[in-house]
Amino acid sequence: MKNSTFIQLAGILGGLAVGIGAFGAHGLQPLLEATGRSETFETAVKYHFYHTLAILILGIWHGFQPERKWLKASIWSFFIGILIFSGSLYILSLSGITWLGAITPFGGVAFIIGWIFIVFAAKS
């Protein structure tokens, strides 16, 4: 894949993070406060944003050094982490389905693996 694809992915994920965060802060605030899940929702949005910015930076780096194969692995790991970690927390916050908390750590592991892949990319 080209680095522009990764930059576009970051743009989409960033836009979603802003939209979801704003909707949570305004449209869902009464529900989140009533269920005591405001902090959980905010955590999901923060990690969504952090890793979207990482994907953007890695996409730019990939444009300069496409031979560093670990960059792609890191980007995809962060993407999977956003889907599982933030996604499960979003759903948990809105639905109260508590068993989703059991899969959230898998997203966290994907984030950690993505950061480790950056180490490998820098060494290759």
Side-chain angles (χ1 to χ4, degrees), residues 22-93:
F23 188 58
H26 301 291
L28 298 174
Q29 187 176 16
L31 171 69
L32 294 171
E33 288 177 356
T35 60
R37 302 227 187 252
S38 293
E39 286 184 32
T40 301
F41 195 87
E42 287 177 24
T43 298
V45 173
K46 286 178 190 175
Y47 276 78
H48 185 156
F49 263 122
Y50 299 153
H51 291 89
T52 295
L53 291 173
I55 290 171
L56 176 62
I57 292 165
L58 292 172
I60 293 167
W61 183 6
H62 183 264
F64 288 102
Q65 296 179 320
E67 70 280 1
R68 294 184 185 260
K69 303 300 179 199
W70 289 106
L71 293 174
K72 287 183 184 180
S74 180
I75 289 168
W76 289 118
S77 188
F78 287 157
F79 178 67
I80 290 166
I82 290 169
L83 291 178
I84 297 172
F85 183 89
S86 294
S88 66
L89 291 181
Y90 291 142
I91 294 169
L92 171 66
S93 298

Side-chain angles (χ1 to χ4, degrees), residues 113-124:
I113 290 169
W115 290 106
I116 292 169
F117 287 163
I118 291 173
V119 173
F120 294 156
K123 293 184 84 168
S124 63

